[in-house]
Amino acid sequence: MGERAGSGPVTGISPVQQMLASGTGALLTSLLVTPLDVVKIRLQAQQKPLSQGKTAARRGCVARPSKWKCFLYCNGLMDHIYVCRNGSSCTSLYRTQTHFNGTLDAFVKITRREGARALWSGLPPTLVMAVPATVIYFTCYDQLRDGLRYSLGLHGSHIPLIAGGLARLGAVTVISPLELVRTKMQSRKLTYRELNVCIRSAVAQSGWLSLWKGWGPTVLRDVPFSALYWFNYELVKEWLHEQHFISQTDFSISFTAGAISGAVAAVLTLPFDVVKTRRQIQLGEMETLGVPLKRSSATWHILKDIWAESGHRGLFAGFLPRVIKVAPACAIMISSYEFGKAFFQEMNLRENMN
């Protein structure tokens, strides 16, 4: 498995080229997946308008009814907390003027009445973190996998599992403080100078670790997801190679393997996704109201609360929407990344022959 195209040092691809391939894949994934989440948010707004919010919900929080609302926005790469303040900071995402009769109807009406650009509302600010995080993640995975195989001489199907988990751990650790900063700026409308004072005050009161609020639940979901994803991806890709009697990883193989492995990992880590979602919403409440939470936000306590409220069904809430969102996003991202690596591989071969 390690000797196939796109799987090891034999490809002759530099880390910079890996970064370019993953960055391009990240942008493409965001452009293709974001409209699905924008439509989902608009349909949710129709069912529960901002002015009618009363209590905290599993997928969104409302504080000071008719003035505040928190919800999750996904660009296909990362989940981001959005805070609506009097509806002013997210009017393009949370409009309710048009009535939609379903997903397809929403696509058509948004495009006709607001223009195609409305389907990508809110995307640019999230890309500032999502693209670098994806670049770090995919590049580190390839480098770690190759290092374990070719530098340390380790072999076996567990290598992708270890490399995937470590790569995601690094990416989450780097990006977590930036996401907290973005949430502070959006919820409190801070200038950069005010933001600097706010961060210094938080560090002085709670230490540097306060910048990594929410890191635990994120790692608890993303690290197992990534480990399972890469483990299954390499296995499914190898199986598809054998079934089609080919040695090269083409677009269809990487797309199929990405979708299957993404769906499997999404299902197996769903309880952790539910916990992470609730934790993100809690952080949004903290930044919005400027007060500490009354209830414990520890991962174990959140799990116990969900179990007490809804039983095992609560831990697997949103099963179908998560699979529908994650599977195509994983398929698009990995197939774009593999295509980009194949492009650079061919370019390098031509340069070496000249």
Side-chain angles (χ1 to χ4, degrees), residues 78-114:
M78 291 176 64
D79 291 333
H80 301 270
I81 189 74
Y82 256 81
V83 182
C84 286
R85 183 175 183 174
N86 295 320
S88 61
S89 64
C90 50
T91 52
S92 60
L93 279 167
Y94 222 81
R95 292 174 182 170
T96 57
Q97 296 93 331
T98 305
H99 180 77
F100 305 118
N101 295 316
T103 302
L104 183 59
D105 184 54
F107 270 108
V108 174
K109 287 182 178 178
I110 291 174
T111 303
R112 285 180 179 175
R113 301 182 184 184
E114 303 173 31

Side-chain angles (χ1 to χ4, degrees), residues 128-200:
V128 175
M129 284 170 296
V131 173
T134 304
V135 169
I136 293 170
Y137 172 43
F138 276 78
T139 304
C140 284
Y141 169 74
D142 272 352
Q143 293 296 314
L144 285 169
R145 181 201 59 196
D146 294 344
L148 291 171
R149 283 178 176 167
Y150 301 100
S151 297
L152 299 180
L154 301 177
H155 300 283
S157 57
H158 65 283
I159 298 301
L161 188 137
I162 296 172
L166 291 175
R168 176 57 77 179
L169 179 64
V172 169
T173 302
V174 170
I175 295 299
S176 283
L178 300 180
E179 175 67 6
L180 185 66
V181 166
R182 190 194 68 82
T183 304
K184 284 181 180 291
M185 290 190 69
Q186 189 205 9
S187 62
R188 301 186 190 178
K189 298 291 184 181
L190 299 176
T191 64
Y192 285 103
R193 179 174 295 179
E194 292 170 335
L195 178 65
N196 183 42
V197 173
C198 181
I199 292 175
R200 287 187 176 184

Side-chain angles (χ1 to χ4, degrees), residues 217 274-276 278-280 282 296-309 315:
V274 174
V275 172
K276 179 179 180 290
R278 182 167 293 198
R279 176 58 173 153
Q280 280 187 293
Q282 287 179 344
S296 173
S297 60
T299 301
W300 175 243
H301 288 288
I302 295 175
L303 279 170
K304 288 200 300 183
D305 287 343
I306 295 173
W307 183 271
E309 292 170 7
L315 294 175

